[in-house]
Every structure is written in C-alpha cells, then in structure tokens.
Amino acid sequence: MSLEKVFFGFFILLALTLNFGFVLGEFDNPDHHNTYELLAVIIVNLIATVLKFGDRTQTGALLLASSLVADLQLLAAAVVWAYAVHVHAGGLDAMFMASIVSLAAGALLANIVSVVLVIIDTVNLRR
C-alpha cells in the first residue's frame, strides 16, 4: 500500500462528499447551504488538483481536466455568492442561491467523473 495513493484517494473522495453535502438541500433556500462548507469544498478541491499534477498518463490528464472544471465552477459559485452578499442591493435571494447551487452541482458532476476514472484505473491495474 502506497501512502501517496491513500492521500490521493482520500482527497478525491473528500472533495466529492463535501461537494455532495453542499448541494444537498432545497435548491433555492440559503439556509440549506453553508458558506463554510463551500469554502471547505473549494480548499479540498484545490488540494486534490495539486495532487493530480504529477500523473503524466492519459487517465491523469483526464483527472486533472475534471478537477480543473470542478475548481472553476466552485470558484465561480464563490464569486456569485460574494457578489450577492456584498455588492447586490437585494442581497442573497433565491435566484442567486439557485445559481450558486447549480454551479456547485456542476462541480459535483466533475468530481464524480474523477472518482469513476480512479476506480477504472484501479481496476485496470489489477489485470
């Protein structure tokens, strides 16, 4: 067992589960989505992205691409949240919350792709 692979799998799964936890709840209700959970998702996704830099295989390129997509969508969600709270006169309403959760759901899909790719790669190593 490689400790590096354990950390790699840990951060990929943690990014997926945190992202799922943030998306879970009523789509447009700000009370169901925590700011600090979005921050945790962004940080864990960025760590998972850095861990994928060293892999030069085709699967590694797909993993990095899916992670970059998740990072981009989560950062866009954070920008929308900051705009709604600090710039928009109406504050954080249902429309902004729906946009934030939609962007996080897109990141969730990219994280699911990452986990599926890791599982496929692991299964192929055993053959």
Side-chain angles (χ1 to χ4, degrees), residues 5-122:
K5 291 180 181 179
V6 171
F7 281 124
F8 183 71
F10 171 77
F11 276 104
I12 287 177
L13 286 174
L14 186 61
L16 175 66
T17 56
L18 284 173
N19 201 343
F20 180 75
F22 178 77
V23 170
L24 202 62
E26 286 184 23
F27 207 63
D28 56 351
N29 188 346
D31 294 334
H32 292 181
H33 308 284
N34 190 328
T35 310
Y36 296 113
E37 192 170 4
L38 179 62
L39 178 65
V41 172
I42 291 170
I43 291 171
V44 170
N45 263 293
L46 288 174
I47 292 171
T49 302
V50 169
L51 291 175
K52 293 172 186 172
F53 278 139
D55 193 355
R56 295 183 183 267
T57 64
Q58 182 63 30
T59 304
L62 287 173
L63 281 170
L64 182 59
S66 66
S67 191
L68 289 173
V69 167
D71 291 342
L72 182 65
Q73 291 201 330
L74 290 170
L75 291 173
V79 168
V80 170
W81 197 315
Y83 175 80
V85 171
H86 299 293
V87 178
H88 190 256
L92 184 62
D93 58 7
M95 182 193 75
F96 280 115
M97 198 69 233
S99 296
I100 293 165
V101 174
S102 294
L103 288 165
L108 176 65
L109 186 61
N111 282 329
I112 289 171
V113 168
S114 286
V115 170
V116 169
L117 286 172
V118 168
I119 291 171
I120 290 171
D121 195 43
T122 303

